[in-house]
Amino acid sequence: MTQIRGFVRASRRPGELGVHSVDHFNLAVPDLKQAEVFYGAFGLDLRPEGQGLGLYTHGHPHRWGMIVEGPKKKLAYMSFGVFEDDFAQFRARLQQHGIAQLDPPRGFESNGLWFRDPDGILLEIRVAEKSSPSEKSSVVNDVPTSGTQRAPNRSAAGISRPRRLAHILVFVRDVSRAIDFYSRVIGLRLSDRSSDGIAFMHGVHGSDHHMVAMAKSDAPGLHHLSWDVGSIHEVGLGAMQMADRGFSAGWGLGRHVLGSNYFHYVRDPWGSYSEYSSDIDYIPATFDWEAGDHPGDDAFYVWGPVPPPDFTFNYEAA
Ligand SMILES: [Fe+2]
């Protein structure tokens, strides 16, 4: 856990009911071997588990995701982590809102709460350790030095290895409806939005500027999984290691406005993306972030290449 590795205590906003983390995601893809090649090249640690693959970051005990085989690419579910003493209140909240509780999907033993969001995306709320950061993530190699070559030689550059899952961006049919649901039921807070096109939400107990984001489409789906790396150097290095392995399609290098992170998106074999992200804004548990509504063309990215024409196409709906 983040707090064990860096000895950072899990942050918490007292008296507020909200999930603290995206504990993990479950993604179905048509070819597990392809997934192993793609996410392995991306710098993740894949471990065979049950019928699928567990997605880990090297040197970190948390399992950020599961990849299972399915007829086509589909975000199977998102699982949110909550503090143990909040769990009963979440159960009561679901009942208050008349949200039907479902059995866990077949093959997934779990005593969490299972239900669907207004777009039909399957969600779980479970008791878990806080895996979202409890302080601003560090940026490495940010020390001014002189009198020495600071860039590694190409042969010594190594590869980029993400430190943790940063966020998930999903497609929804109605962004305002999603903001309402994820605020009232899940207990996230709106960070920023661009009208009805996209919304970014953070955790009340301290999280990055967004742990979940929603973009408008005509069907639900996964747009991207974002992975935190330690520096802009590692964003670029990651892009290079993926291009070297044949995964050159994507978008970057650039800098987002909302979240302020540096990014490079690599297109996965199924038309969604994995993002190398560095230096994203952080919203502490004690801070009331004022949500803004930013015109899309002024807030998508500060600088970077023009995105590919199908960057926001929902291949899961096709
Ligand atoms: Fe992102």
Side-chain angles (χ1 to χ4, degrees), residues 175 193-199 214-217:
V175 169
R193 68 190 293 176
S194 288
S195 185
D196 290 325
I198 191 162
M214 301 89 174
K216 185 174 169 53
S217 178

Side-chain angles (χ1 to χ4, degrees), residues 166-169 200 210 213 223-227 256 261 263 265 275 277 280:
H167 57 264
I168 300 180
L169 195 151
F200 300 91
H210 42 285
H223 181 267
H224 73 263
L225 304 166
S226 178
W227 302 87
H256 281 302
N261 52 317
F263 63 82
Y265 295 83
E275 176 187 19
S277 164
I280 193 165

Side-chain angles (χ1 to χ4, degrees), residues 42 136-140 160-168 208-210 224-236 238-239 251 253-256 258-266 274-281:
F42 196 80
K136 169 82 175 69
S137 287
S138 60
V139 174
V140 299
S160 187
R161 284 180 164 175
R163 301 186 291 193
R164 60 177 174 87
L165 177 71
H167 57 264
I168 300 180
D208 289 341
H209 175 272
H210 42 285
H224 73 263
L225 304 166
S226 178
W227 302 87
D228 175 75
V229 294
S231 63
I232 191 168
H233 170 75
E234 290 179 42
V235 174
W251 181 42
L253 173 79
R255 189 180 195 192
H256 281 302
L258 305 179
S260 308
N261 52 317
Y262 301 96
F263 63 82
H264 184 95
Y265 295 83
V266 185
S274 278
E275 176 187 19
Y276 292 106
S277 164
S278 187
D279 204 10
I280 193 165
D281 291 332

